[in-house]
Amino acid sequence: MTTVSDFLIQRVREWGVSRIFGYPGDGIGDFDGALGRAERAGTGLDYVRPTHEEIAAFMATAHAKFTGEVGVCAATSSPGAFHLLNGLYDAQMDNVPVVAIVGQQGLDALGTFTQQESNLEVVFADVAAYVKTIVSPEQAQAVIDTAFRTATTRLQPAIVVVPHDVQGMEMTEPAAAHWVSRSSSAAASTKITPPSSDIQRAAQVINEGRKVTFLVGAGARGATDLVVEAARRVGAGIVTALRGKDVIPSDVSFHTQQVGLLGTLPSYRQMTECDTLVLLGTNYPYGEFLPKTGQARAVQVDLKPEQLGIRYPTEVNLWGDVGATLSALLPMLVQQEDLSWQEQIAKEWTQAEQELHAQAMLGFPDGGNPRRVYFELNERLPENAIVTADAGTTADWYAQHIRLRRGMRGDLSGRLASMLAAMPYAIAAKFAYPERPVICTIGDGAFQMLGMNELITVKKYQERWPNKQFIVVVLHNDDLSQVSWEMRTEDANPVWRTAQDVESVDYAGYAELLGFKGIRLRSDEDAGAAWDEAFAHDGPTLIDAYVTRNAPPLPPKITKQYRNNMMKAMLKADPLEVPTLVDSAEALASEALHRTKSALHLGKNDPGQRE
């Protein structure tokens, strides 16, 4: 007998899915049993079971990001389903297709307040573009197909709830009958191209610009060469949103990396000086780092129509795939003869790299420089490496010091910016590309959330990876450092150590308990050697990097509010006042020196763009 669960597994495979991230439970028990039968028959899905349902959802999201496929996760009823939410919101907010298959108590139990029965359709209504409970075998085909079609076209999560008794019902072919839908597993095309008249309007705006900047996000993935060619043709500079970091190779001379609090000065200058802004596949949320209203004419291209024209008053909004749209747009773009804007951006970027190098070489009296850890990693990144970063200051150092060359990948929890995502992202990347080296960069606070647990998952599955190189670097500063800095600079509050302190753990020792290589990095001078040792090891490695909690994540522009809030926090008896002021002063002095040299070299009057 073929059950509903057997059918769902077969249909998931027809949608091109080969892997599912799940955690078992009685509410999803018959579906789990079908997964086991399919595995034994050689027709199943590669089932990966991490240590927590939240991790399974993050892994499904990361799989979708790294592969372009639909990510799939599965969990049991109420508690397991609830645990999926954080990872599913990550997919929702970063526009990623994920399908979750969730168990439920039997049909007769719905609405009767029985154990682990809850209204899951209401629970998932906000996070999912589609959520539906399968109540009969005849309905199963339409629901699973609609879930996948919605996820892929809307770039959002979709939820299929399967009551326990329905999971085991005999599957029947949908009949040509009233109320019965017979659906298709054929994917819908998403290579949407806007009308020619709209593309011509966009080309006119861009061609008339003399200081054009492209802001490129993850939605432009797959269109790298088209973006670079368009920029060369119109003499544009390129800034990437954080999730678009790996879309444009780092060796493109006029690519100045990210913008915003964790961005670079050349990117900030592009935004303050450009006369034309072209947003390509990005929902960059920080309006204060975009051009002032009226400064620039703007064009936006995106597959998410509801996100067009919402961040900046754009003149032309093109609803379409970035690659398909640029293919139509390129023949209409005029080759600019005056490339002085682009050339100036390239010169400024060279100077900015020297400044960032100087920041990485600073020594701090109370611990290692976290920038140095990332700088030395960047110097040694192997070809085809995949790097993940966590929320917090790890994202700052990743943005400012990691340069992803063509073929490399990097990602993180974007708009949600959830802590701990770096670990499930890295493991999902390793499953997707087991032949490639994967590096996870994470803070000690995030690592203590669920990251330490996931080393157990690495231990469980490492033998399946032909390249066993999986490196985790933990920034060990015993502090929730990003929040500490936000308390000071956003709210003018001193650090509250009762909340901010992270209990110190021998992370390298923990890795060694699991049979992995542990490296304890205690001085800046040993950072390069630590990475050399890690990359020489054919197996999982954890670098326990003891760094200062007081290294300032300096934004490209320090506003009066930032500076005044910092001073107010210090006057309120910040418990780390002295080392924080010392480390900040040293970082600012180094920055000011290099910006002055840069200004003299470039012939500018304003070396720092400071208020």
Side-chain angles (χ1 to χ4, degrees):
M1 180 182 76
T2 299
T3 67
V4 169
S5 293
D6 295 324
F7 166 77
L8 290 175
I9 294 164
Q10 173 191 336
R11 202 66 162 187
V12 167
R13 287 178 59 86
E14 289 178 18
W15 275 96
V17 174
S18 59
R19 179 170 298 118
I20 183 170
F21 303 93
Y23 203 94
D26 63 338
I28 194 76
D30 222 319
F31 181 79
D32 289 339
L35 283 169
R37 289 193 300 273
E39 179 183 70
R40 291 188 292 274
T43 59
L45 298 163
D46 179 19
Y47 182 79
V48 176
R49 200 221 76 189
T51 62
H52 196 281
E53 292 95 348
E54 181 176 351
I55 298 296
F58 272 121
M59 285 180 168
T61 299
H63 178 87
K65 288 181 175 181
F66 283 120
T67 66
E69 301 170 357
V70 180
V72 179
C73 56
T76 189
S77 51
S78 297
F82 301 156
H83 285 160
L84 293 176
L85 282 170
N86 200 37
L88 293 176
Y89 269 109
D90 190 38
Q92 182 212 59
M93 298 176 77
D94 280 349
N95 302 323
V96 176
V98 170
V99 171
I101 299 172
V102 181
Q104 175 63 289
Q105 300 307 299
L107 288 172
D108 291 343
L110 298 183
T112 66
F113 313 105
T114 194
Q115 186 181 33
Q116 293 193 346
E117 183 271 325
S118 56
N119 192 336
L120 293 179
E121 290 197 4
V122 172
V123 169
F124 288 114
D126 182 64
V127 74
Y130 176 80
V131 53
K132 192 59 61 179
T133 301
I134 297 176
V135 298
S136 71
E138 289 79 6
Q139 184 203 17
Q141 185 186 85
V143 170
I144 192 69
D145 288 341
T146 304
F148 272 92
R149 194 169 292 108
T150 302
T152 54
T153 56
R154 298 280 299 280
L155 299 176
Q156 293 284 276
I159 316 296
V160 176
V161 181
V162 195
H164 191 275
D165 49 355
V166 175
Q167 295 169 31
M169 290 180 181
E170 183 175 0
M171 185 61 192
T172 57
E173 185 71 23
H178 191 55
W179 292 335
V180 176
S181 293
R182 290 167 291 164
S183 63
S184 164
S185 59
S189 172
T190 57
K191 297 297 184 182
I192 300 171
T193 305
S196 178
S197 58
D198 291 344
I199 293 175
Q200 289 175 349
R201 289 173 53 222
Q204 180 179 354
V205 170
I206 298 170
N207 286 332
E208 290 175 358
R210 291 299 172 262
K211 295 182 176 181
V212 182
T213 288
F214 289 2
L215 177 56
V216 180
R221 184 161 288 114
T224 297
D225 292 337
L226 291 167
V227 174
V228 174
E229 173 58 26
R232 292 190 190 281
R233 190 167 298 186
V234 302
I238 296 178
V239 175
T240 46
L242 190 54
R243 287 206 55 239
K245 187 178 183 72
D246 63 353
V247 174
I248 305 300
S250 61
D251 58 1
V252 173
S253 62
F254 45 87
H255 170 206
T256 59
Q257 299 290 317
Q258 284 68 70
V259 69
L261 290 172
L262 43 62
T264 67
L265 184 60
S267 293
Y268 175 78
R269 280 181 169 153
Q270 283 199 63
M271 290 299 168
T272 58
E273 297 175 13
C274 70
D275 62 19
T276 308
L277 178 65
V278 182
L279 300 104
L280 299 171
T282 180
N283 184 34
Y284 181 79
Y286 302 108
E288 68 271 30
F289 292 101
L290 295 177
K292 293 180 180 179
T293 301
Q295 171 195 318
R297 303 175 74 184
V299 172
Q300 186 172 0
V301 183
D302 210 289
L303 265 177
K304 298 288 291 180
E306 67 273 24
Q307 293 176 5
L308 288 166
I310 197 171
R311 300 302 185 199
Y312 189 79
T314 44
E315 189 171 331
V316 182
N317 290 315
L318 300 177
W319 179 16
D321 170 73
V322 171
T325 303
L326 284 180
S327 293
L329 178 66
L330 263 172
M332 302 180 190
L333 297 180
V334 176
Q335 177 64 57
Q336 295 294 325
E337 295 182 4
D338 181 3
L339 300 178
S340 57
W341 165 251
Q342 191 177 76
E343 291 167 353
Q344 179 71 16
I345 288 167
K347 290 179 182 178
E348 291 186 3
W349 178 237
T350 298
Q351 296 296 320
E353 285 280 54
Q354 294 175 7
E355 178 188 320
L356 289 167
H357 176 261
Q359 290 284 333
M361 293 300 114
L362 289 175
F364 295 114
D366 56 335
N369 185 346
R371 292 178 180 270
R372 182 70 175 269
V373 176
Y374 281 73
F375 175 84
E376 298 293 352
L377 165 61
N378 186 65
E379 292 289 291
R380 293 161 174 80
L381 274 180
E383 297 300 321
N384 294 321
I386 301 174
V387 185
T388 68
D390 215 83
T393 53
T394 57
D396 289 84
W397 317 137
Y398 166 80
Q400 294 186 8
H401 295 283
I402 297 299
R403 302 289 172 259
L404 298 173
R405 304 186 298 277
R406 187 178 289 270
M408 295 181 179
R409 294 297 306 274
D411 221 323
L412 74 171
S413 174
R415 193 156 62 95
L416 182 64
S418 176
M419 290 175 66
L420 83 83
M423 274 296 286
Y425 270 45
I427 299 173
K430 194 66 175 177
F431 275 109
Y433 304 102
E435 74 286 353
R436 298 172 68 168
V438 174
I439 302 99
C440 168
T441 69
I442 192 167
D444 49 4
F447 194 59
Q448 286 189 14
M449 276 186 162
L450 285 173
M452 294 179 72
N453 279 10
E454 284 316 293
L455 282 186
I456 300 171
T457 303
V458 173
K459 180 177 177 63
K460 178 180 180 180
Y461 290 104
Q462 61 177 320
E463 294 305 319
R464 293 174 49 173
W465 303 329
N467 177 342
K468 295 179 175 56
Q469 209 162 63
F470 184 92
I471 304 172
V472 180
V473 59
V474 180
L475 295 189
H476 188 161
N477 61 10
D478 303 332
D479 182 55
L480 300 176
S481 52
Q482 181 73 15
V483 183
S484 293
W485 282 99
E486 288 169 345
M487 289 179 73
R488 295 167 177 140
T489 60
E490 292 183 8
D491 304 311
N493 284 320
V495 167
W496 181 32
R497 296 194 63 169
T498 301
Q500 294 304 110
D501 282 2
V502 174
E503 183 67 21
S504 188
V505 173
D506 181 5
Y507 301 108
Y510 176 68
E512 290 165 347
L513 284 174
L514 293 172
F516 302 152
K517 187 176 191 64
I519 300 173
R520 295 163 180 82
L521 173 58
R522 297 183 181 273
S523 69
D524 292 335
E525 292 73 21
D526 295 331
W531 284 111
D532 289 337
E533 186 178 355
F535 282 120
H537 179 59
D538 183 26
T541 302
L542 186 143
I543 299 176
D544 191 352
Y546 292 77
V547 296
T548 178
R549 68 199 300 171
N550 301 310
L554 296 174
K557 175 176 178 174
I558 296 179
T559 65
K560 289 180 180 178
Q561 182 182 11
Y562 184 105
R563 181 191 63 209
N564 292 343
N565 284 347
M566 182 71 175
M567 290 300 100
K568 289 176 182 177
M570 295 299 105
L571 292 173
K572 295 176 183 177
D574 190 297
L576 301 170
E577 175 183 1
V578 173
T580 298
L581 289 175
V582 169
D583 291 353
S584 297
E586 189 164 358
L588 283 168
S590 174
E591 180 188 75
L593 174 63
H594 282 83
R595 291 191 179 181
T596 299
K597 289 181 178 179
S598 172
L600 293 172
H601 176 75
L602 297 170
K604 287 181 175 289
N605 295 321
D606 178 7
Q609 291 280 352
R610 301 299 195 195
E611 284 188 0

